[in-house]
């Protein structure tokens, strides 16, 4: 699969590869596995993976066998295609079936002529997920878009609910140069008559998405339609308590515990609750709380060690890095020393993230975020050095070892800027 055009690695083939007709043909050849069961479809720039995980775990806590498709992965591709059942989420339980399905795809190479050329890696992974979820007879499937929405491979589905998390300026070579253009692409998942939930949005994006929902007669549920406010409290054992002030007419749980950190995660959980309650209005609040407590997603505020305190987070936009910075500082408020290990891909806004992060740490180490995507660690180090002293250690294994050596008893390390950096560090410390 990786020998084919891989949009996550580079965009050289974007004009040829970025299309939906080929995915429609691929699915049709396999008897449209995407139509097997009800789907929650989630797009956005940030938070869609966490929101998808929250949603899937809530459904699974109600006894629903739930398929969850997210990207990117931290360590291996198994993380992207998960089946959650009875609280269990074993990434390796279906390896034999996955291999069987991959061979079935490989044996049908002749269909590639029908699809206007070779499919992309992401298209085949999406097809593999659809096939697995059908084979396993899932009751529900939760799909996170990979890129955009309108032409994303996941957009062949027929959702029962759609949800769009905050839209930011990203992937401009694919999605457009303005927030309005990007919102238009994300809004491509909005379907005729299907309820749409919108996380907090900037005005420019909100205007586009609201107008699209009106044209599609899609019932619109805004974040402000759900809650008046919320409060968070970080506990040292790695739990965030959230108290919600729901709208008066909503009998939703007033208090939940989340294993993912940051005020943005409180918002993501609220949107997941709203999505599932839209699907299943009679769902009990204890089931909701249980599902949220069980949620896990590699590389999202993942705590690897308590002493020294080491947290991994794949945040790679200014807003998300600000959220994880704030959470990290509150959790480690008594730490005698805080170190940041940072690396980002070349297509990310390193300057904006440096402005957010640089002033909050006693030491900053810049490294290469793996080799999966193009990066320029030296340039990132130059950018960070404009705000605070930093060191450049190209090899992430050397970087994390140096960071650990610099932590005294009770010190704390935050690794962020890229899921691929988080994956490198996870492998180095496992």
């Amino acid at each position: 699969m990786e020998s084919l055009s891989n949009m996550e690695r580079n965009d050289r083939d974007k004009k040829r590869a970025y299309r939906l007709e080929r995915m429609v043909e691929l699915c049709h050849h396999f008897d449209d596995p995407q139509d097997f069961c009800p789907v929650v479809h989630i797009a956005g720039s940030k938070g869609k993976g966490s929101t998808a995980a929250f949603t899937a775990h809530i459904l699974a806590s109600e006894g629903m066998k739930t398929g969850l498709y997210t990207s990117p992965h931290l360590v291996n591709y198994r993380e992207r295609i998960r089946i959650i059942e009875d609280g269990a989420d074993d990434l390796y339980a279906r390896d034999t079936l996955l291999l069987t399905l991959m061979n079935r795809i490989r044996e049908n190479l002749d269909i590639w002529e029908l699809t206007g050329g070779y499919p992309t890696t992401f298209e085949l992974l999406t097809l593999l997920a659809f096939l697995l979820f059908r084979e396993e007879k899932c009751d529900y499937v939760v799909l996170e878009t990979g890129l955009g929405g309108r032409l994303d491979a996941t957009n062949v589905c027929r959702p029962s609910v759609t949800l769009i998390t905050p839209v930011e300026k990203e992937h401009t070579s694919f999605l457009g140069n303005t927030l309005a253009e990007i919102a238009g692409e994300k809004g491509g998942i909005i379907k005729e008559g299907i309820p749409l939930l919108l996380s907090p949005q900037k005005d420019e994006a909100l205007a586009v998405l609201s107008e699209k929902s009106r044209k599609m007669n899609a019932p619109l549920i805004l974040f402000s339609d759900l809650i008046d406010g919320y409060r968070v409290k970080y506990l040292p054992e790695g739990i965030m308590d959230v108290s919600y002030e729901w709208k008066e007419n909503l009998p939703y749980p007033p208090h939940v515990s989340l294993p993912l950190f940051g005020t943005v995660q409180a918002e993501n959980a609220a949107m997941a609750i709203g999505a599932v309650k839209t699907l299943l209005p009679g769902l009990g609040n204890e089931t909701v709380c249980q599902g949220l407590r069980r949620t896990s997603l590699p590389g999202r505020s993942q705590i690897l060690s308590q002493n020294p305190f080491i947290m991994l987070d794949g945040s790679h936009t200014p807003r998300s890095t600000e959220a994880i910075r704030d959470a990290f500082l509150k959790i480690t408020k008594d730490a005698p020393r805080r170190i940041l290990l940072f690396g980002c891909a070349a297509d990310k806004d390193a300057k904006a993230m440096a402005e957010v992060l640089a002033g909050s740490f006693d030491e900053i180490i810049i490294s290469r975020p793996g080799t999966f995507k193009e990066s320029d660690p030296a340039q990132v180090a130059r950018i960070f050095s404009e705000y605070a002293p930093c060191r450049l250690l190209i090899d992430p294994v050397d970087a994390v070892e140096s960071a650990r050596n610099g932590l005294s008893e009770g010190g704390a390390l935050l690794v962020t800027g890229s899921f691929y950096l988080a994956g490198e560090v996870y492998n180095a410390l496992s």
Side-chain angles (χ1 to χ4, degrees):
M1 289 184 175
E2 277 205 323
S3 69
L4 303 169
S5 177
N6 194 329
M7 308 288 281
E8 295 175 26
R9 285 186 183 274
N10 64 73
D11 62 359
R12 287 191 295 269
D13 298 324
K14 64 185 179 188
K15 291 184 178 179
R16 182 193 68 81
Y18 196 40
R19 55 190 297 173
L20 196 58
E21 300 95 320
R22 185 167 51 239
M23 191 65 198
V24 171
E25 291 280 348
L26 280 167
C27 288
H28 188 64
H29 187 85
F30 287 90
D31 299 320
D32 293 312
Q34 76 280 9
D35 296 334
F36 176 75
C37 69
V39 170
V40 179
H41 199 194
I42 302 177
S45 298
K46 281 305 302 175
K48 58 184 186 294
S50 301
T51 304
F54 285 137
T55 302
H57 278 272
I58 294 172
L59 289 169
S61 289
E62 179 64 3
M64 306 292 183
K65 191 174 188 178
T66 306
L68 174 61
Y69 182 58
T70 59
S71 61
H73 59 275
L74 193 69
V75 177
N76 68 60
Y77 280 106
R78 291 182 184 90
E79 299 166 25
R80 301 187 181 212
I81 306 172
R82 301 155 67 184
I83 292 178
I84 305 166
E85 186 177 21
D86 299 327
D89 184 10
D90 187 347
L91 295 178
Y92 302 94
R94 295 169 174 84
D95 278 2
T96 301
L97 178 54
L98 278 171
L99 182 59
T100 299
L101 295 174
M102 290 175 73
N103 283 330
R104 188 181 303 171
I105 292 172
R106 188 179 63 175
E107 290 164 1
N108 283 267
L109 300 186
D110 58 308
I111 67 173
W112 292 356
E113 282 187 25
L114 303 177
T115 58
Y118 286 97
T120 67
T121 300
F122 187 77
E123 286 169 344
L124 290 185
L125 287 170
T126 304
L127 174 63
L128 179 62
F130 289 151
L131 292 173
L132 178 68
F133 297 153
R134 182 175 66 182
E135 194 77 18
E136 285 287 308
K137 296 180 172 58
C138 288
D139 298 303
Y140 282 91
V141 165
V142 181
L143 297 176
E144 175 194 359
T145 60
L147 179 70
R150 182 175 65 91
L151 297 178
D152 189 80
T154 62
N155 205 28
V156 296
C157 73
R158 299 174 183 173
S160 298
V161 172
T162 58
L163 195 156
I164 300 178
T165 63
V167 174
E168 297 183 9
K169 196 171 181 180
E170 58 162 358
H171 301 300
T172 54
S173 59
F174 292 95
L175 304 179
N177 293 314
T178 68
L179 196 59
E181 289 175 330
I182 295 170
E185 291 295 325
K186 305 283 186 183
I189 71 165
I190 301 171
K191 301 296 191 298
E192 181 74 33
I194 302 302
L196 166 69
L197 288 88
L198 283 184
S199 295
Q201 303 287 345
K202 295 178 182 176
D203 290 343
E204 190 177 355
L206 179 60
V208 172
L209 297 171
S210 298
E211 177 61 14
K212 177 69 180 241
S213 69
R214 186 191 66 79
K215 288 182 177 179
M216 299 297 289
N217 297 308
L220 178 60
I221 303 171
L222 300 174
F223 181 79
S224 59
D225 294 331
L226 295 175
I227 68 172
D228 288 318
Y230 60 89
R231 297 182 302 279
V232 302
K233 180 181 180 181
Y234 298 98
L235 303 181
E237 58 267 30
I239 295 294
M240 184 175 74
D241 281 350
V242 185
S243 298
Y244 289 115
E245 298 173 19
W246 299 100
K247 294 294 184 180
E248 290 183 4
N249 61 328
L250 296 177
Y252 293 179
H255 178 86
V256 302
S257 296
L258 305 179
L260 305 182
F261 300 130
T263 55
V264 68
Q265 297 296 359
E267 296 176 4
N268 293 339
M271 298 308 295
I273 294 170
V276 177
K277 290 279 194 174
T278 300
L279 271 177
L280 304 170
L283 188 71
N285 284 341
E286 180 51 41
T287 297
V288 172
C289 293
Q290 183 182 64
L292 293 174
R293 284 196 303 269
R294 288 175 171 175
T295 300
S296 64
L297 198 59
R300 276 79 165 184
S301 55
Q302 183 177 7
I303 298 174
L304 293 188
S305 169
Q306 285 287 351
N307 190 11
F309 187 87
I310 301 176
M311 177 186 285
L312 302 183
D313 192 87
S315 295
H316 49 266
T317 70
R319 184 174 185 269
S320 60
T321 50
E322 181 178 16
I324 198 62
R325 177 206 66 188
D326 291 347
F328 179 81
L329 293 179
K330 289 177 181 176
I331 296 167
T332 63
K333 57 183 174 58
D334 296 324
R337 182 173 176 78
R338 298 188 186 93
I339 297 178
L340 171 68
L341 174 52
F342 182 90
C344 68
D347 61 348
K348 304 305 177 186
D349 192 344
K351 182 176 178 60
M353 288 188 279
E355 291 175 351
V356 168
L357 294 169
S360 301
F361 295 86
D362 299 295
E363 182 180 356
I364 298 173
I365 301 173
I366 305 299
S367 188
R368 181 187 64 222
T371 57
F372 191 84
K373 296 188 73 173
E374 182 180 351
S375 64
D376 188 350
Q379 174 64 12
V380 173
R382 285 192 290 271
I383 291 171
F384 266 78
S385 65
E386 296 176 7
Y387 300 92
C390 67
R391 291 191 292 136
L392 174 63
L393 292 174
I394 297 293
D395 189 315
V397 175
D398 293 340
V400 72
E401 187 61 30
S402 177
R404 291 180 70 188
N405 291 338
L407 290 175
S408 58
E409 185 74 15
L413 169 65
L414 173 63
V415 180
T416 193
S418 166
F419 281 108
Y420 304 111
L421 175 63
E424 293 280 344
V425 172
Y426 182 89
N427 281 330
L429 296 180
S430 296

